Amino acid sequence: MNEQVRQVDAVVVGAGFAGLYMLHRLRGDGFVVQGYETGADVGGTWFWNRYPGARCDVESLDYSYGFDPALEQEWDWTERFATQPEILRYLRHVADRFDLRPLIRFDTRVDRAVWDADAARWRVTTDAGERVDARFLILATGSLSAAKAPDIAGLDTFAGQVLHTADWPVEGADLSGRRVGVIGTGSSAIQAIPLIAQDAAHLTVFQRTPAFTVPARNRPLAAEEVAARKAGYRAHRLAVRRTVPGVLWESSGKAALDLGDEERRDHYERGWQRGGPGLAATVTDAIVDEAANATLADFVREKIRATVVDPQVAESLVPTGFPIGSKRLAVDTDYYATFNRPNVTLKDLRKTPLERVEPDGIRTTDGLTGLDTIVLATGFDAMTGSFLRIDIDNGAGLTLRRKWAEGPRTYLGLLTSGFPNLFFIAGPGSPSVLSNMVLSIEQHVEWIADLLTAMRDRGQTVADAAGQSEDEWVARVNAVAARTLYMKGNSWYLGANVPGKPRVFMPFIGGVSTYRDICDDVAARGYVGIELVG
């Protein structure tokens, strides 16, 4: 093991949108920083998620940095919803433009971090045996970066090819002429299935729970559209900060049940034709009122039945038992129409449960489906998984895994009490996945950087969330969630997709505008709720 120990001001873990901006901002503020990234390049989730059809569900003109006016003027997005390769090219451009690569150790995983209270520093160790001591440890590891492998009997006996959407081969995968089985029907599968179906000799989709998905209506961006946004980018960036999701969605501004049937349907139809995840925002009460939600859910169910030719297949694809929007609303291109193809079969695992994987394929209660390739589209240990993969010890006998054993606890989604100088970007208890992530990331980075600068100016070395402040914030996050229908969806927002994970609603639903005001107020009041020590 390399015994040389580097001394830095901050270690930043992750080199996606969050890590790159955090490194750039701290270096600009005069801090000595060291970044670590498990992947071979920058990109974070957009480095790993290379599966066919991988695409963002926030429009590209919004899903981009706003911290540098010159950057947003020089980059030209080509599509309404950018693909993974385009987003990765953008992040590589950002890394090169701001000369961030020298700050990052690639192909390196942070394994362990232990707080030394006497020195007021984090002792950090990597899988390569490198040791570094840092005043601050900042986790920019992403909300959707810890891929979840399914626990399926016999999977290791399969004689063919096994792929995971969250770790697709860099060189791609040629599925032409192959019998392919996709396990899962979440967002990744919904994007990948139409493209896999075009190449495969036959595709079998193994579905346990059908998902609500809406058309993206993706298209190339016209030059005049891009020019108009660039001309008004500064005002636009300010405007989206004052919204709930961090984007401007069209809305009727009315409650669903205050509209007549024809008028309400007209609003839904216009939202369906516009495309994108803003469909649920066409009325004001879809996520808080069950009766209102049912009108929207029934509208989408009608669209499924009208698209899928085989009525039995259509009914298997129709989601029931949870409100629309309580699980992440997927965005697709020709997903439902794909099941009309003669080379596509849907296996409804609610009717014929999956028993095991065998060398030649997947066996369900109605027999064996012969396969050459299995694609695991089984999602992520979301929100907390990437943080808890690191063995984080507060030096007083408490690990982060043990503290969060019954669910994550944070103050503002930024700190967790008892772990000084540890910060999360887009952590549980922040808007994160319920918002335009890049907008929320920028707000987090800037808030953390401002706090660290203020501490340095005042001669303070330690910041820790007060226990009472954390308790009050957790209670507030839970109280806001309880007033919505999110609690009725068995979603990864609740950790329900990971066996044994506590069922705790993790994001802050109050919206980016309210959250920003709260964080700004905390800072203006001298970082109230945070114990600062000289």
Side-chain angles (χ1 to χ4, degrees), residues 6 8 20 72 92 151 162 206 222 228 259 280 293 314 319 331 341 384 396 404 418 469 472 484 503 513:
R6 292 189 61 223
V8 299
L20 291 179
E72 65 189 10
R92 286 170 171 165
D151 184 14
V162 178
F206 296 86
L259 299 168
N293 187 280
V331 177
R341 295 176 61 101
T384 59
W404 286 9
S469 300
E472 291 171 354
T484 74
R503 302 295 175 91
S513 177

Side-chain angles (χ1 to χ4, degrees), residues 22 29 31 44 106 134 176 224 391 400 433 463 485 509 518:
M22 192 80 253
D29 288 342
F31 292 95
F106 294 104
S176 58
E224 57 270 21
D391 182 14
L400 188 63
V433 294
L485 301 179
I509 303 177
I518 293 168

Side-chain angles (χ1 to χ4, degrees), residues 132-153:
V132 59
D133 285 358
R135 179 72 64 198
F136 304 102
L137 176 60
I138 303 171
L139 302 184
T141 49
S143 301
L144 297 172
S145 60
K148 183 176 71 68
D151 184 14
I152 300 175

